[in-house]
Amino acid sequence: MKSETLKFGTQNAPHRALYHALGLTDEETERPLVGIVSSYNEIVPGHMNIDKIVDAVKLGVAMAGGTPIVFPAIAVCDGIAMGHTGMKYSLVTRDLIADSTEAMALAHGFDALVMVPNCDKNVPGLLMAAARLNIPTVFVSGGPMLAGRVNGAKTSLSSMFEAVGEYGAGKITEEKLREYECKTCPTCGSCSGMYTANSMNCLTEALGMGLKGNGTIPAIYSARIELAKHAGMAVMDILKKNIRPRDVMTEDAFMNALTVDMALGCSTNSMLHLPAIAHECGIEINLDIANKISEKTPNLCHLAPAGRTYIEDLDEAGGVYAVMNELSKKNLLNLDCITVTGKTVGENIEGCINLDYDVIRPVETPYSETGGIAVLRGNLAPDGSVVKRSAVLPEMLVHEGPARVFDCEEDAQAAINAGKIKSGDVVVIRYEGPKGGPGMREMLNPTSAIMGMGLGSSVALVTDGRFSGATRGACIGHVSPEAASGGMIGVVEEGDIISINIPENKLELKVDKKVLEERMKNFVPKKKELSGYLKRYAALVSSGAEGAILK
């Protein structure tokens, strides 16, 4: 529906009366109405600057002949929600954001939209809404945080969580921990490593839904304001050309995004979000497709937490387009896909050279010949599980050890803090999946504690929940089917041997087949008493292997 159906003719005089109540002039209402979806709030560091981005977008829209009108989207800060019941409300907001944006856009007849998200669930939630609405839409994020500095070295939020583990192990003093606390997050913006927020903002460029620099220009740079103005102008251009989200987010575009995902070494959460966005476009992305792309895509970046470079470094090296330019040298991208620039991918990345081979490896000499994410299968995860391969130490790519079994994150954390986890163990955390959590909590606390205690080279974690984009180590999430749905992870017993082989994409529970059959025959999954939104969510959500979409 276009705003024309609400604005003109005597029958629409009541609508115009309400536009006048907003202070809109006749000249403004006669122009295309462009909704600006603002994720601004005062609790999420990645969103506290979005009011300035929105003001710049509004100016860009007005300069190009449109009338900008702002409405909000909610946002949860995963870092603040981490480690307690609040994290159950993180992933679930992805659908609230998509649903509420759909409702606002259709109820008010906007002609086009500019989405201004930043953090983990806002980007995919708004991409899902864009696909549903299918009206001309451009994305511009709030931008990444600058890295902190401790002891003269760059640092980020993952370092902060690991510092807590170091303090618990007696490796640093309380004063040093306080220094990390005060210096790790020095500016506004989405946290400075290749965590989920920055992963999804970079992949928005790869999908063709954001302009050059959307994922990498730091939040506090004036260039971010200029980008926002250009986004406002761009949406008016694609409105004239009638370029819509489903024209941009084609199957080829998703294959491009998955390829860039593997090259960048993005968060494992991209394996939840890309399938969910694709689903809204009527496109199926399964985990097998991800592995096929990973097999042929070189990993070119080791951004934090996988390495010691940060999003600001990626921006200086040429950004996402420079990575795509490297990939194009091996014909790994479809260059004909149309984008919100009004140009093709090939036209966009032409001349975008790699300016720093320490940040973006040349495609001829990558960190590895395979991508940054791997999907593992086996009797423990017949429907799949996900690991950030590029952030795993070489000695942990193949590991076998006894299971240490916990039915929630809190119990696992208590055992780790008490020194009960030993070298060689495989920590199993279950009933944290989409249904079982519910909400599939990110678990950065236990993974960071293990790394901080110096066990990252000898201890693995396996869960039907998920890990933060800030996680590094042999941390395997999204185990499907989950325990709450009767998955094999629900019958793992203390001391069972678990075999992990990341190069061969295998995750196996090494217990006699007849014993497992007997366990499964007698298995009754635990159920939790739920209420409110979480109760509705748990009843509708699919598995992590399907992107945790609502059915």
Side-chain angles (χ1 to χ4, degrees):
M1 181 178 72
K2 294 184 178 182
S3 66
E4 291 176 1
T5 61
L6 304 178
K7 294 189 302 191
F8 304 120
T10 55
Q11 75 279 7
N12 286 324
H15 299 113
R16 292 195 297 274
L18 293 169
Y19 291 147
H20 285 299
L22 292 168
L24 293 176
T25 66
D26 290 339
E27 292 82 359
E28 286 175 300
T29 56
E30 287 170 4
R31 295 177 174 186
L33 301 186
V34 180
I36 315 297
V37 187
S38 171
S39 297
Y40 169 77
N41 63 48
E42 294 183 342
I43 188 61
V44 184
H47 292 230
M48 62 180 284
N49 67 316
I50 279 179
D51 56 339
K52 296 176 178 59
I53 305 298
V54 166
D55 286 344
V57 171
K58 289 172 67 178
L59 185 56
V61 168
M63 288 166 62
T67 298
I69 301 175
V70 179
F71 64 89
I74 63 169
V76 165
C77 177
D78 281 22
I80 294 174
M82 195 72 66
H84 59 95
T85 193
M87 182 46 76
K88 295 178 186 290
Y89 287 90
S90 174
L91 179 60
V92 303
T93 65
R94 187 183 71 183
D95 294 276
L96 285 175
I97 292 161
D99 293 348
S100 59
T101 302
E102 174 192 357
M104 286 293 289
L106 290 179
H108 300 101
F110 289 109
D111 297 296
L113 297 170
V114 179
M115 308 292 200
V116 191
N118 210 24
C119 290
D120 298 33
K121 309 311 166 300
N122 296 76
V123 186
L126 290 178
L127 282 165
M128 290 163 67
R132 284 185 204 171
L133 292 163
N134 202 34
I135 60 177
T137 303
V138 173
F139 276 68
V140 56
S141 75
M145 185 183 291
L146 292 179
R149 278 178 169 77
V150 177
N151 298 333
K154 289 183 179 181
T155 188
S156 60
L157 188 63
S158 55
S159 307
M160 179 72 252
F161 276 88
E162 290 179 17
V164 174
E166 291 178 39
Y167 174 72
K171 293 183 176 184
I172 61 172
T173 64
E174 187 173 352
E175 289 76 16
K176 178 57 71 174
L177 183 65
R178 173 68 175 166
E179 183 182 356
Y180 271 98
E181 179 184 330
C182 294
K183 294 182 177 179
T184 292
C185 298
T187 70
C188 61
S190 48
C191 295
S192 57
M194 188 52 84
Y195 310 150
T196 307
N198 292 326
S199 294
M200 294 310 301
N201 281 322
C202 287
L203 295 180
T204 300
E205 285 190 59
L207 268 175
M209 291 296 293
L211 305 183
K212 181 178 185 285
N214 177 68
T216 60
I217 298 173
I220 63 170
Y221 283 14
S222 297
R224 174 68 49 182
I225 300 296
E226 294 181 41
L227 179 71
K229 291 175 184 175
H230 283 128
M233 297 178 205
V235 80
M236 295 305 297
D237 180 55
I238 64 170
L239 175 59
K240 291 172 187 171
K241 294 175 179 175
N242 196 29
I243 297 173
R244 298 168 180 260
R246 282 183 231 158
D247 299 325
V248 174
M249 291 192 285
T250 61
E251 186 171 353
D252 284 336
F254 279 102
M255 296 307 105
N256 282 349
L258 281 167
T259 300
V260 174
D261 188 339
M262 299 302 170
L264 286 172
C266 290
S267 164
T268 52
N269 284 314
S270 64
M271 292 297 101
L272 284 176
H273 299 321
L274 286 175
I277 299 161
H279 175 75
E280 297 290 351
C281 295
I283 297 166
E284 181 185 353
I285 292 179
N286 59 43
L287 297 183
D288 291 325
I289 293 172
N291 258 359
K292 287 176 183 176
I293 289 178
S294 182
E295 286 170 7
K296 63 180 182 180
T297 305
N299 177 224
L300 305 182
C301 299
H302 269 191
L303 297 151
R308 296 184 179 182
T309 53
Y310 295 81
I311 300 299
E312 64 195 65
D313 301 312
L314 177 61
D315 187 62
E316 292 176 10
V320 175
Y321 278 16
V323 174
M324 295 174 74
N325 197 315
E326 287 289 339
L327 293 170
S328 71
K329 294 174 184 177
K330 285 199 170 182
N331 298 316
L332 294 172
L333 298 174
N334 186 315
L335 302 181
D336 295 326
C337 294
I338 194 67
T339 72
V340 294
T341 66
K343 300 178 180 178
T344 65
V345 169
E347 290 171 321
N348 285 343
I349 67 174
E350 186 177 358
C352 297
I353 62 172
N354 182 355
L355 300 174
D356 191 339
Y357 287 163
D358 290 331
V359 178
I360 305 170
R361 286 279 184 90
V363 75
E364 298 84 7
T365 56
Y367 282 103
S368 67
E369 294 292 343
T370 52
I373 290 176
V375 174
L376 313 185
R377 292 185 186 270
N379 65 350
L380 191 52
D383 291 346
S385 60
V386 182
V387 63
K388 189 170 184 175
R389 173 167 40 195
S390 59
V392 179
L393 292 170
E395 56 267 39
M396 288 299 291
L397 290 171
V398 177
H399 179 77
E400 193 171 287
R404 305 298 310 280
V405 183
F406 305 95
D407 286 348
C408 65
E409 177 190 1
E410 289 83 356
D411 290 351
Q413 187 68 44
I416 294 166
N417 292 344
K420 295 179 179 179
I421 303 302
K422 306 300 181 185
S423 177
D425 286 348
V426 178
V427 177
V428 176
I429 308 176
R430 61 195 180 193
Y431 293 104
E432 290 287 5
K435 286 184 180 294
M440 207 177 188
R441 285 192 288 182
E442 285 186 351
M443 290 179 279
L444 183 55
N445 281 340
T447 62
S448 298
I450 282 174
M451 295 301 297
M453 291 177 174
L455 294 171
S457 61
S458 60
V459 170
L461 292 95
V462 176
T463 182
D464 54 9
R466 62 196 178 100
F467 296 116
S468 166
T471 292
R472 63 190 179 106
C475 302
I476 300 159
H478 309 196
V479 169
S480 300
E482 61 178 295
S485 295
M488 183 75 73
I489 192 172
V491 301
V492 178
E493 295 183 0
E494 190 81 5
D496 285 349
I497 299 300
I498 292 177
S499 174
I500 300 164
N501 191 319
I502 295 173
E504 294 185 8
N505 305 114
K506 291 181 180 178
L507 179 64
E508 294 283 343
L509 179 60
K510 299 189 78 173
V511 173
D512 182 83
K513 187 177 180 180
K514 289 184 178 179
V515 172
L516 288 179
E517 287 173 355
E518 188 65 21
R519 288 185 193 176
M520 290 297 288
K521 186 170 71 175
N522 298 315
F523 177 40
V524 179
K526 295 182 178 180
K527 293 191 179 297
K528 297 176 181 177
E529 290 296 322
L530 301 171
S531 61
Y533 181 49
L534 289 184
K535 184 175 182 178
R536 298 199 305 275
Y537 184 87
L540 296 172
V541 70
S542 71
S543 78
E546 296 178 276
I549 59 173
L550 300 187
K551 291 188 174 181

